[in-house]
Amino acid sequence: MAITTAELADAVDTFAGRIHAAKEELTTLDSAIGDADHGINMDRGMSAVREILRELRQGDPGALFTQTGMKLISTVGGASGPLYGTFFLRLGTSLGETPEVTPRRLAEALRAGLEGVKARGKAELGDKTMVDAMTPAVEAFEAGADGDLTTALAAAATAAAGGRDRVTPVVARKGRASYLGERSAGHQDPGATSTTILFESLRDALAVTG
Ligand code: ADP
Ligand code: MG
C-alpha cells in the first residue's frame, strides 16, 4: 500500500524522461504565448535532477524532493524554475523522513506543494497557469486517497488534463502570456501542459505499486 522512496524516485525519473520527450512540444506552446523556452527550461532542470536521482533513491522522500526542488531552482531560468522548485521543496518538507508514504500522506504533500506554488506565483484558478492543472489534480487525488491508489492517480491525471484544457480558451492573467492580453486566448498553456505531464508520470510510475 505504501510507496517507497525508490518508487518516488522512479516517478521523478519518469517525469524527467517525459519532459525530455515533450521538450519541442512545450517550447512550441511557449513560442505562441511566451518566449519559447518552457521545454528547454524544464528539460535542463529535469536532466540535472536525473543525475542525482540514483543517490537520492537510497534516502528518504524529504531529501529526494528537497534536492529535486533545489536543483530546479538552481538550473531552470524563468518563472517555472522557482515555481516547480517550490512545489518539490514543499513536498520534501511535508514528507520529511517518512519511510513509507501512504496515499493520504502523498495527498497532504501534494496539497502543500500546490499551496507553495500559489503563494510564490500569486496565481489564482482561471489565470491560465500551471495552477489550473495542479489544483484539480490535487483535489482529485485528495478525494481518492483513502481508496485504490491506481484509481486516485488516474483521476488526478485526468483532472490535470481537464484543467489544462479548460483554460485554453481564456485570456492569461499571470506570467508572460498575460502581456499578450486577448491574443493569449485559444492557446494551450505550457506550464499547465508540463503539470499534466507530471501527474501522468505519477500515474504511470506509481500505479503498478498500488
Ligand atoms: P517564463 O514565462 O519565465 O519564460 P517558462 O516559459 O519556463 O517561464 O514557464 C511558463 C509557464 O509558467 C506558464 O505557461 C505558466 O503556466 C507558468 N507561470 C507563469 N507565471 C506563473 C505564476 N505567477 N504562477 C503560476 N504559474 C505561472
Ligand atoms: Mg517561457
Side-chain angles (χ1 to χ4, degrees):
M1 225 7 227
I3 307 157
T4 64
T5 306
E7 288 162 345
L8 292 170
D10 288 344
V12 174
D13 187 57
T14 298
F15 179 49
R18 299 222 178 149
I19 285 294
H20 184 70
K23 182 179 172 181
E24 298 299 325
E25 179 201 344
L26 293 172
T27 290
T28 301
L29 291 174
D30 197 33
S31 72
I33 55 171
D35 56 354
D37 64 356
H38 189 58
I40 297 161
N41 284 343
M42 293 301 294
D43 186 45
R44 186 194 308 115
M46 291 311 298
S47 296
V49 168
R50 239 182 181 170
E51 287 172 18
I52 56 172
L53 273 184
R54 187 191 295 269
E55 196 183 315
L56 292 175
R57 76 201 304 281
Q58 327 271 357
D60 59 53
L64 166 68
F65 289 124
T66 302
Q67 295 297 321
T68 295
M70 283 167 51
K71 196 54 114 179
L72 289 175
I73 290 170
S74 65
T75 57
V76 180
S80 58
L83 290 166
Y84 275 111
T86 299
F87 176 80
F88 284 109
L89 282 178
R90 292 287 180 100
L91 249 61
T93 307
S94 175
L95 292 174
E97 293 174 7
T98 312
E100 291 200 325
V101 178
T102 61
R104 181 50 66 193
R105 287 288 286 114
L106 182 59
E108 287 166 12
L110 292 169
R111 165 60 61 181
L114 167 64
E115 296 304 328
V117 170
K118 287 167 70 180
R120 174 103 206 183
K122 308 270 184 279
E124 295 296 329
L125 213 51
D127 284 351
K128 193 175 175 118
T129 70
M130 62 176 72
V131 168
D132 289 296
M134 205 178 276
T135 303
V138 171
E139 285 173 355
F141 191 71
E142 284 172 336
D146 292 328
D148 176 57
L149 175 63
T150 304
T151 307
L153 288 166
T158 302
R164 173 200 65 198
D165 294 343
R166 208 150 40 237
V167 289
T168 296
V170 315
V171 173
R173 287 193 298 247
K174 276 283 182 300
R176 278 179 198 280
S178 66
Y179 307 160
L180 288 180
E182 297 291 331
R183 280 185 295 137
S184 63
H187 295 283
Q188 186 173 312
D189 181 62
T193 306
S194 56
T195 292
T196 301
I197 294 172
L198 171 63
F199 282 92
E200 289 172 350
S201 301
L202 290 175
R203 176 195 64 195
D204 297 337
L206 299 178
V208 280
T209 309

